Every structure is written in C-alpha cells, then in structure tokens.
Amino acid sequence: MTFQGSLKELHLPDVIQLVSVSGKTGAFHLEKDSEQGVIYLAMGQIVHAETGDLAGEEAVYVLATWDDGTFRFAPGESAEVRTINKNNTNLLMEAARRLDEWRVLSKRIPSLDVIPAFKAVEGKQGQINLNTQEWMILSKIDGKRTIRQLAASVRLSSFEVAKMLYGLVAMDLVDLIPAGENGAGPGEAGSGFPGGEAPDPSVTRELKGLLDKLREVAREYIGEIGQQGINHAYNEAKRQLGEGKGTESIQEMCHELLRQSSVLQGPESQRLLAEKFREVLSSWNGDQG
C-alpha cells in the first residue's frame, strides 16, 4: 500500500522512522518544486539515497532539510547499490540535527541555489580571521556560481558551505543573489589589462614573472592576514597559466586579490592596490610593446 503526504505536515525523519519500525522494503520518492530525491529502505534499514548529484548519507541529510514538497513511499522497490551502512538511529539523529540548524541558516540563506557575491561596503574597515576552508570558499566566490556549485568545486557538502556563508552574510560581507539575476562578476581589477587570449609560448616566462610581481604587491598591501588567500589565488593562477589560459589567469587573480583586499582591509586598501596593479600591468604592457 502506498503511503504519501506533505513534508509541510510531516518531517521526513519522522516519516522514515514510522515506516522503518515495520521492517518494510521500499523507496521514498520526494518532490519539491523541480527537485526530486529518493531514499531506499531494505527491511527497514536505510541503504541508499539520491538527490541531484548527491548520493548516500549526504543525500539523506539534504532531503531531511526539505520543509516543503511531497513524499510517497512505494513498497517493494529496492536499490541497485548500497551507499549507506550507518544505522537508522544515528543517521536520523544527524538528519534531525541538520534540520534544526537549517531552520536557523534559512533565515539568511533561503536556498542552496542562490549566488553568493562580494558586497562592497563603503567605509568598512578592520580585519577578519578565516580558517582554511573559509578561504577556499572565499576564493571560489565569483558572483556566478550557486552555493551548490561552490560546494562541488571545493568538494564539501552544500550544508557545510551554507554554514560558512551564513557567517559572511551576517558580517555584511556577502550578498546572496537569486539565480538568473546576477550580472557580470564583481570587481574592477585590471583596467586596461590585455584580453583573455591564450598566450604565445614565447611569453609564458614573462607572464610567470608578472604573476610573481603582482603577488608581491598584494602581500605589501593586504598584509600578513591575507597570506593564505594570496597564495591560494597565486597557485590557482599559476595552474591556469600552465593550462594555456595566458593573461586571463592573471586577470582573474587580480579580481580575486582585490576582493580579498576589500574584505580584509577595506575599500581604501582595495583602491590603492588597484592603482598599483594598473601601474604594474601598464609597465608590463609597455615592455611587451
């Protein structure tokens, strides 16, 4: 017999627990707007789950945060693979914990499909301390990728990325833009910088030297607090340079370092750094001419 209902009225962890105690085998099919998910039970034990690009435990945790949509339990359906070995009690306790946390996060982060973008606040000064994972997230924000896409790029769960972004939004450092409303990526790096064409092999060494010079300038203006972020942006640009992106990789590094400068030291530091970047780039353009 099919069991179905609304996730507004019944939370998913409670529904699963209700069915699992009977020892049934089957699948919960979940729908929310355009999203879909499925959780498989084998003799009452959760063995597999899928939603979007996620599978296994993380898929269960994401589905457990849905407070809208519908569920339908189809008895007898079995999973072709097993991706979950944790017992139901521990799995559902963690799912319930994340659901409680998501209720708090959703006050500032309405969806995993919004696009984080840096927010330039006039007159904002001071410094902030970020851990390695937060720097990873910071370095991937480009005003184009959604929270889900950011999470995939750093190989973290969307939930963990949302938790980190919650703090940045609360500090008024990041805006969240509905998908489809974003324009060009933020930042004003490299005015007058040469276009994004792939470099000729003969200038690769010169581009590497330019990369090094820009890194040193950033260290001078951003300071010790930004060392981790500067190195991350530099290494990413160097990797892209090796892949043939040429001057585009350096332009992207400039954008990233200017964003970091604004976040860590304020608009005035960003303005001074931008001027220094233009000076270095103009000098390089003249040498190439």
Side-chain angles (χ1 to χ4, degrees):
M1 179 177 178
T2 300
F3 173 41
Q4 60 188 13
S6 168
L7 292 172
K8 270 188 176 180
E9 299 172 1
L10 292 170
H11 296 142
L12 184 61
D14 297 332
V15 174
I16 293 176
Q17 197 164 23
L18 182 65
V19 172
S20 66
V21 294
S22 65
K24 290 185 179 295
T25 293
F28 279 99
H29 293 274
L30 306 152
E31 291 189 9
K32 176 186 160 186
D33 299 326
S34 61
E35 298 179 89
Q36 296 183 339
V38 60
I39 298 177
Y40 290 93
L41 275 63
M43 293 183 292
Q45 292 298 308
I46 301 171
V47 294
H48 180 58
E50 297 177 7
T51 183
D53 296 329
L54 294 176
E57 289 181 27
E58 285 300 327
V60 174
Y61 300 147
V62 168
L63 292 169
T65 65
W66 288 9
D67 58 2
D68 194 7
T70 61
F71 69 86
R72 175 177 61 86
F73 181 73
E77 290 189 18
S78 58
E80 296 181 358
V81 295
R82 180 166 190 152
T83 57
I84 299 173
N85 294 302
K86 184 177 288 187
N87 66 56
N88 282 10
T89 299
N90 290 339
L91 193 67
L92 293 176
M93 283 180 62
E94 175 64 13
R97 184 189 70 79
R98 293 200 183 194
L99 178 58
D100 288 339
E101 279 197 77
W102 184 251
R103 290 192 183 111
V104 176
L105 295 177
S106 63
K107 293 176 181 179
R108 293 186 182 273
I109 301 177
S111 165
L112 295 175
D113 294 313
V114 294
I115 299 168
F118 281 100
K119 183 175 183 179
V121 181
E122 288 299 326
K124 189 174 183 67
Q125 301 292 334
Q127 298 181 346
I128 59 171
N129 295 317
L130 302 175
N131 61 36
T132 302
Q133 284 191 334
E134 288 168 334
W135 269 119
M136 285 172 57
I137 298 302
L138 209 62
S139 70
K140 297 295 183 182
I141 292 177
D142 59 3
K144 299 176 182 177
R145 283 182 280 203
T146 65
I147 293 177
R148 293 183 195 276
Q149 292 167 333
L150 283 175
S153 71
V154 295
R155 298 186 178 182
L156 292 174
S157 71
S158 297
F159 180 78
E160 292 300 321
V161 172
K163 285 175 65 176
M164 285 184 270
L165 286 170
Y166 180 89
L168 296 174
V169 172
M171 288 187 285
D172 209 25
L173 298 172
V174 169
D175 265 336
L176 298 175
I177 305 168
E181 293 184 13
N182 59 312
E188 297 180 349
S191 179
F193 191 84
E197 71 277 0
D200 187 284
S202 64
V203 301
T204 298
R205 182 172 299 176
E206 285 80 1
L207 288 172
K208 174 61 168 57
L210 176 60
L211 203 65
D212 293 341
K213 186 176 295 186
L214 291 167
R215 179 178 61 170
E216 293 307 310
V217 169
R219 285 174 172 172
E220 177 185 350
Y221 282 84
I222 297 177
E224 186 65 28
I225 191 174
Q227 188 67 34
Q228 235 178 358
I230 292 169
N231 287 340
H232 189 281
Y234 170 81
N235 291 331
E236 176 65 15
K238 190 164 67 171
R239 181 189 65 78
Q240 293 181 1
L241 190 61
E243 293 177 351
K245 288 195 174 180
T247 55
E248 181 184 357
S249 62
I250 297 176
Q251 188 176 30
E252 289 180 6
M253 187 183 82
C254 288
H255 277 280
E256 173 57 31
L257 293 177
L258 283 178
R259 285 195 292 266
Q260 290 184 27
S261 179
S262 177
V263 169
L264 295 174
Q265 302 288 7
E268 179 62 16
S269 174
Q270 183 191 45
R271 184 185 66 78
L272 294 173
L273 180 58
E275 289 180 359
K276 189 63 178 179
F277 277 170
R278 290 187 183 102
E279 180 183 322
V280 172
L281 294 170
S282 295
S283 175
W284 185 84
N285 284 337
D287 292 341
Q288 298 305 302

